[in-house]
Amino acid sequence: MKKFADVMLPLPLANRYTYSLPDALSDKIAIGCRVIVPFGRKKFYTAIVVSVHYCPPQEYETKDIAELLDEHPVLLPMQYKFWEWIASYYLCTPGDVYKAALPSGMKLESETIVELNPEFVADTPLPEKEQRILDLLSEEPMQCITQLEKSSEIKNSLSTIKSLLDKEAIFIKEELKHNYKPKTETRVRLTEAYMDEEMLHKLFDELARVPKQLALLMKYIEMSGFFGKGLLKEVTKKELLIRSGASPAVFNGLTKKRVFEIYHQEIGRLAQGLSATDGLHPLNPAQQEACKAILDTFRQKNVCLLHGVTSSGKTEIYIHLIQQAIRAGKQVLYLLPEIALTTQITERLKRVFGDRLGIYHSKFPDAERVEIWQKQLKKEPYDLIIGVRSSIFLPFQNLGLVIVDEEHESTYKQQDPAPRYHARNAAIVLASMYGAKTLLGTATPSVESYYNALRGKYGLVELTERYQDIQLPEIQVVDIQELIRKKIMKTPFSPRLLAEIRKALEQREQVILFQNRRGFAPMIECKTCGWIPKCKNCDVSLTYHKGLNQLTCHYCGATYPVPHSCPACGGVELLNRGFGTEKIEDDILQLFPEAKVARMDLDTTRTRTAYERIIHDFQEGKTDILIGTQMVSKGLDFDHVSVVGILNADTMLNFPDFRSHERAFQLMAQVAGRAGRKNRRGLVILQTKSVDLPVIRQVVDNDYGHLYADQLQERRLFHYPPFHRLIYVYLKHRKEEVLNVAADTLAAQLRVGLGDRVLGPDKPPVARIQTLFIKKIVIKVEQSASMNKICDYLQAVQRHIMEDERFRSLMVYYDVDPQ
């Protein structure tokens, strides 16, 4: 009887697709394995088998599965259940989740290959771009389109390719591209003829006339332990040449004589043989009490919130809990909000857990992420995984504990593309599926988590003492509005902050300066007419980057040359408005030329090693002043920071979002916590024009209780979380008039079923990105309402709207629990 398989494709498709199993694969394909399937006219994709059955589909004729990639499943049943939950809750497709979850090295892709037609002769001279493509193909007759675009420097070459296709100058075909290649090592062994001792002694006599070859052979005999009693040791070609001092020519001489043969052995890219060098550090009485309270809480509740002030030693408590979980035979997932944090914490965890620790984040090469995924499926997986939000998708066989450090961080929320999941919330669900416990740790809890803890949904453990009884930093507020008005402050630094920086440098202490904007200046403005350069694709002003000498759109990534004069009025006085981290760095270098300065933002940390280098240099005292965006606020532990400067609190306070004051408090309290860690009380200079706002006083007093009370009162009044859930519905279209009609139609239909829960449509703060106009509808859902029913209704209305011919090219997507 014919067998069929339902598969999940890495495409935003709502449905599964059914394929027939060729007889040769009928008994080999299992649920969770990857298969190559044809989809569309010429495309091939890597799909994952989600069920095997004997029922052919009625609506269409099935195609055969082309190839099986795995002997064993790469997707575990619990993982698939978790993926389905993410797709359902966050209103996206399982294909969206699959595409985000699996490392790209595990997804074979169909890539268009362009092939030269050797019989083509042009009747007339070809356009310059077409000739350039043909010249490249004459050197290498088969190339992929991306390769041709790069070599020819022709952007958007598809029209050129199409023209050449029409002339039959080229052909195209689809080929599968395998992104992941196992790492191999070249090794050496004796050929079978010389595995006999008698033959080997004869060879020694023969090689007496070639002393270099004889010396190389003797070194191999020594390294492999040939005359010992045990098994022969593996010998790499590289190590053999290094230790013998022989040249490759000498080695090749022995391979030509068929003495040596080389072979390739697959080896892992992951660190091998890391042994634990440190034991557990003893906990102080406050930490012991907190650790015991967490374990007691886990007996009654699955989730516990650890609210511990900055520098209270939460990481040490995590390490003790991890050790207990591993001893009980369980796996642990340790989530961090930022890659920069993994650099510092990993070193401590490696010393305790050695090679039982795996690290997983996007700055790692894709091949390493593939190998970690594969190791997690083996009999001896990592006991502890430390990583950022994407690590929740890894396979776990026996998960027992999930730790979400800095649980309040907005970077746990994936923004684009789908799935737009929140890693903290998803991790709680993942842990519950495995029957595991979740620990949320932070000095500044999110309002939602604290509300759940006070209501008894989560356990709550508080740690109010800093490690070694160090005092919380002193926070001094500087009213920069008054200083600017009196023309006392002409740079981003108040006189008080400059004096404290100078004092810290004289005492050989370190300084952190926090400005939550990268680039040199957020905008350029013409002094004469007020013209501001804007992105052609997005409704935003361009940021000036002095180091690159260009204007950049931080939404679509487009870059523009810096104008020398105003195109509106011809004026040549173009002024920088505002300041980013690059401008701060520039000014500091002028004010303190003797200081060693580093900057940590998105522009300076594009590589994996950049984070490590910046943090290591600051830790080792090679850097005096560290300037950064919110990256510097997140749990980093430095011993010699005495001064922290918050350069402009108003950029955080004046953001059009109901969470702006909560976020501002969290950011300022966290960055303040970097000051005065081990030897003495630190100082924080907080510069703002809004000194009278309650949140400023709450930051100064480290008064989370009053912030929480104020926020709760406001949110109850205006139907915001934690009392209501939010769903943002975004609509995008190239034509603004079509978008407006579609948004009004969708909102009207949603109101039929959801009533006054629906607000809008309205324009978001940035109403056009990458040439697409955007409208936003807000839905506020009370906690008692069924999210499943609401989600089903939203998707039903969307399907109905999309059936209208006017809206065929409309894009609709959802952001559930936006941050």
Side-chain angles (χ1 to χ4, degrees):
M1 196 171 177
K2 190 72 174 170
K3 262 189 183 178
F4 298 90
D6 291 344
V7 303
M8 172 171 47
L9 289 151
L11 298 168
L13 304 166
N15 301 325
R16 298 173 180 179
Y17 284 83
T18 305
Y19 287 82
S20 46
L21 272 59
D23 293 340
L25 299 177
S26 184
D27 297 325
K28 295 178 183 177
I29 287 178
I31 292 169
C33 287
R34 293 173 303 149
V35 290
I36 299 292
V37 295
F39 188 79
R41 296 180 72 186
K42 288 184 178 180
K43 294 282 183 183
F44 286 85
Y45 289 96
T46 302
I48 296 179
V49 177
V50 294
S51 72
V52 179
H53 55 84
Y54 294 96
C55 306
Q58 301 301 312
E59 301 82 14
Y60 56 90
E61 193 175 325
T62 59
K63 296 176 182 177
D64 274 0
I65 284 174
E67 194 179 334
L68 172 66
L69 294 178
D70 305 303
E71 289 180 20
H72 305 287
V74 296
L75 180 68
L76 302 177
M78 195 63 79
Q79 266 180 297
Y80 180 57
K81 184 182 173 187
F82 178 58
W83 288 15
E84 282 193 311
W85 175 83
I86 285 187
S88 167
Y89 185 82
Y90 290 103
L91 290 164
C92 61
T93 68
D96 287 323
V97 183
Y98 164 28
K99 195 167 184 182
L102 220 64
S104 35
M106 294 178 75
K107 298 190 288 269
L108 289 172
E109 295 174 0
S110 180
E111 181 161 289
T112 304
I113 300 291
V114 178
E115 187 176 5
L116 182 70
N117 177 2
E119 295 175 12
F120 172 72
V121 179
D123 299 331
T124 55
L126 294 172
E128 189 259 332
K129 285 184 180 179
E130 292 182 18
Q131 191 59 53
R132 214 186 308 168
I133 295 283
L134 287 184
D135 290 345
L136 286 166
L137 286 169
S138 64
E139 293 169 16
E140 191 179 333
M142 282 199 293
Q143 295 184 51
C144 66
I145 286 179
T146 48
Q147 188 183 341
L148 280 171
E149 282 189 344
K150 191 176 179 182
S151 304
S152 65
E153 297 181 342
I154 299 172
K155 290 183 180 178
N156 301 322
S157 66
L158 288 177
S159 57
T160 309
I161 298 287
K162 185 180 181 302
S163 176
L164 287 168
L165 267 173
D166 293 341
K167 292 169 183 168
E168 296 186 354
I170 57 170
F171 305 120
I172 63 165
K173 64 178 184 177
E174 296 296 316
E175 282 200 357
L176 287 170
K177 182 180 76 173
H178 209 319
N179 292 325
Y180 170 70
K181 289 179 182 175
K183 188 176 181 180
T184 58
E185 192 172 61
T186 304
R187 295 184 179 176
V188 185
R189 61 189 169 206
L190 290 173
T191 56
E192 201 171 328
Y194 292 103
M195 292 299 284
D196 177 71
E197 283 191 33
E198 191 179 328
M199 290 293 292
L200 196 57
H201 282 293
K202 284 182 183 176
L203 180 63
F204 291 158
D205 295 337
E206 287 173 27
L207 291 179
R209 290 167 295 172
V210 198
K212 287 184 179 178
Q213 289 185 1
L214 180 60
L216 180 59
L217 176 60
M218 295 308 288
K219 181 54 73 175
Y220 170 80
I221 297 292
E222 177 198 322
M223 289 173 68
S224 66
F226 185 86
F227 291 119
K229 291 182 180 177
L231 290 169
L232 288 183
K233 292 176 188 170
E234 301 270 357
V235 177
T236 69
K237 179 183 174 183
K238 183 180 178 182
E239 189 70 15
L240 177 61
L241 292 177
I242 290 170
R243 287 182 57 181
S244 65
S247 68
V250 174
F251 180 88
N252 292 339
L254 285 173
T255 54
K256 282 179 185 175
K257 289 177 180 176
R258 299 191 180 279
V259 175
F260 283 160
E261 64 181 6
I262 60 171
Y263 63 102
H264 299 282
Q265 183 69 36
E266 186 179 329
I267 58 166
R269 291 174 170 83
L270 308 178
Q272 304 285 326
L274 285 173
S275 56
T277 55
D278 282 11
L280 296 181
H281 292 174
L283 300 177
N284 67 22
Q287 290 171 325
Q288 282 177 6
E289 200 177 314
C291 192
K292 184 178 178 298
I294 291 164
L295 292 169
D296 289 343
T297 300
F298 280 156
R299 290 188 185 98
Q300 281 97 36
K301 292 184 168 66
N302 289 329
V303 184
C304 179
L305 174 65
L306 173 61
H307 180 199
V309 294
T310 54
S311 198
S312 57
K314 293 186 289 295
T315 306
E316 210 56 54
I317 293 172
Y318 299 156
I319 290 171
H320 278 252
L321 292 168
I322 291 166
Q323 183 77 292
Q324 285 201 23
I326 291 174
R327 277 182 186 154
K330 300 288 187 181
Q331 290 175 290
V332 181
L333 171 61
Y334 188 150
L335 284 177
L336 291 163
E338 193 78 61
I339 292 167
L341 270 178
T342 62
T343 302
Q344 212 176 42
I345 291 173
T346 298
E347 290 308 309
R348 172 78 184 107
L349 293 173
K350 270 183 188 170
R351 292 197 294 271
V352 179
F353 300 106
D355 56 11
R356 303 174 92 173
L357 167 71
I359 307 149
Y360 191 83
H361 59 63
S362 59
K363 283 287 190 289
F364 271 40
D366 192 71
E368 272 187 44
R369 282 182 282 151
V370 170
E371 290 192 9
I372 289 175
W373 189 288
Q374 290 173 342
K375 183 171 171 65
Q376 290 306 91
L377 293 164
K378 291 176 181 172
K379 285 183 181 175
E380 292 186 5
Y382 286 117
D383 294 320
L384 168 62
I385 289 285
I386 183 169
V388 291
R389 61 177 181 247
S390 58
S391 50
I392 63 169
F393 294 118
L394 280 168
F396 291 97
Q397 299 180 45
N398 193 16
L399 189 62
L401 175 66
V402 176
I403 295 168
V404 185
D405 198 13
E406 311 293 350
E407 66 84 27
H408 64 277
E409 281 290 350
S410 58
T411 42
Y412 278 125
K413 180 75 158 101
Q414 162 74 9
Q415 300 298 341
D416 276 308
R420 294 171 181 84
Y421 64 98
H422 196 298
R424 177 197 63 210
N425 301 346
I428 291 169
V429 173
L430 177 70
S432 72
M433 287 179 174
Y434 280 91
K437 304 297 181 185
T438 307
L439 178 64
L440 311 176
T442 178
T444 52
S446 64
V447 167
E448 291 93 324
S449 293
Y450 203 62
Y451 176 77
N452 284 331
L454 292 184
R455 281 179 64 228
K457 185 178 178 182
Y458 300 166
L460 176 62
V461 175
E462 303 208 86
L463 190 59
T464 54
E465 294 177 20
R466 280 187 129 195
Y467 189 67
Q468 295 180 344
D469 294 325
I470 296 165
Q471 286 181 289
L472 282 164
E474 178 192 356
I475 301 177
Q476 296 182 3
V477 181
V478 176
D479 184 352
I480 56 175
Q481 186 163 13
E482 191 66 12
L483 294 173
I484 292 167
R485 189 180 67 80
K486 291 178 179 177
K487 297 188 178 175
I488 296 170
M489 182 175 158
K490 294 179 181 177
T491 67
F493 318 103
S494 61
R496 181 68 212 276
L497 178 57
L498 289 174
E500 291 298 338
I501 293 172
R502 194 168 285 110
K503 184 178 166 186
L505 293 175
E506 285 167 1
Q507 294 175 351
R508 296 185 175 277
E509 291 170 336
Q510 291 174 305
V511 177
I512 290 177
L513 298 177
F514 171 68
Q515 169 62 10
N516 209 19
R517 269 188 179 155
R518 63 189 173 103
F520 190 84
M523 66 177 74
I524 289 176
E525 184 181 40
C526 172
K527 188 180 179 182
T528 311
C529 72
W531 171 82
I532 294 169
K534 291 192 174 180
C535 179
K536 291 173 184 173
N537 306 320
C538 315
D539 283 345
V540 286
S541 58
L542 297 168
T543 301
Y544 172 47
H545 289 257
K546 186 181 179 184
L548 300 168
N549 192 31
Q550 65 185 23
L551 299 173
T552 303
C553 173
H554 285 176
Y555 281 83
C556 71
T559 58
Y560 302 83
V562 180
H564 299 293
S565 61
C566 172
C569 70
V572 291
E573 282 195 84
L574 300 175
L575 307 175
N576 296 324
R577 293 289 184 212
F579 53 89
T581 48
E582 194 181 8
K583 171 86 163 72
I584 301 301
E585 182 184 30
D586 213 47
D587 288 354
I588 284 289
L589 286 167
Q590 288 179 32
L591 290 163
F592 302 100
E594 74 287 356
K596 295 185 282 289
V597 181
R599 173 163 55 97
M600 189 158 81
D601 57 24
L602 193 64
D603 297 320
T604 61
T605 55
R606 294 196 183 275
T607 65
R608 167 187 169 186
T609 52
Y611 284 103
E612 294 167 8
R613 179 178 44 76
I614 294 167
I615 290 167
H616 179 266
D617 286 355
F618 195 63
Q619 213 164 7
E620 294 295 310
K622 294 177 185 176
T623 306
D624 301 315
I625 301 172
L626 179 63
I627 298 156
T629 56
Q630 60 183 0
M631 288 181 187
V632 300
S633 73
K634 296 175 183 178
L636 295 166
D637 185 3
F638 302 116
D639 293 348
H640 305 292
V641 175
S642 63
V643 176
V644 167
I646 298 170
L647 299 180
N648 189 352
D650 305 295
T651 55
M652 297 175 275
L653 295 166
N654 300 331
F655 197 73
D657 185 83
F658 73 95
R659 283 196 177 91
S660 61
H661 280 205
E662 178 194 1
R663 285 270 160 71
F665 177 92
Q666 288 165 344
L667 264 174
M668 288 189 277
Q670 289 282 345
V671 79
R674 305 311 115 216
R677 305 289 284 190
K678 290 196 176 165
N679 44 13
R680 69 180 182 87
R681 192 181 188 196
L683 175 67
V684 179
I685 305 294
L686 195 165
Q687 299 183 165
T688 178
K689 296 175 184 174
S690 313
V691 288
D692 297 327
L693 280 177
V695 69
I696 298 296
R697 176 49 48 198
Q698 288 156 1
V699 170
V700 171
D701 297 338
N702 194 38
D703 187 358
Y704 179 80
H706 271 99
L707 171 95
Y708 172 74
D710 288 353
Q711 289 296 304
L712 215 60
Q713 188 179 352
E714 213 172 89
R715 293 186 189 188
R716 184 183 275 114
L717 189 63
F718 294 107
H719 296 175
Y720 280 115
F723 304 102
H724 282 66
R725 280 203 173 107
L726 292 183
I727 302 173
Y728 291 168
V729 185
Y730 287 97
L731 298 92
K732 290 184 176 181
H733 200 281
R734 294 201 181 280
K735 294 180 180 176
E736 192 172 14
E737 59 278 11
V738 174
L739 177 70
N740 291 337
V741 175
D744 291 339
T745 308
L746 181 62
Q749 291 204 18
L750 288 175
R751 283 193 182 91
V752 172
L754 300 175
D756 59 6
R757 295 184 184 100
V758 180
L759 303 174
D762 214 336
K763 286 183 177 181
V766 180
R768 188 174 64 104
I769 296 175
Q770 291 180 328
T771 72
L772 292 169
F773 292 94
I774 309 167
K775 275 290 186 76
K776 173 179 160 186
I777 297 168
V778 176
I779 301 170
K780 295 182 177 181
V781 182
E782 60 276 20
Q783 290 286 355
S784 57
S786 165
M787 276 295 281
N788 286 341
K789 287 182 180 175
I790 301 262
C791 291
D792 290 345
Y793 183 70
L794 284 172
Q795 289 176 319
V797 170
Q798 181 190 340
R799 282 193 296 272
H800 179 69
I801 290 285
M802 299 302 279
E803 285 167 4
D804 190 324
E805 283 189 15
R806 294 173 297 170
F807 309 136
R808 286 287 161 87
S809 55
L810 179 73
M811 291 168 61
V812 179
Y813 66 89
Y814 306 89
D815 191 359
V816 180
D817 300 337
Q819 290 292 303

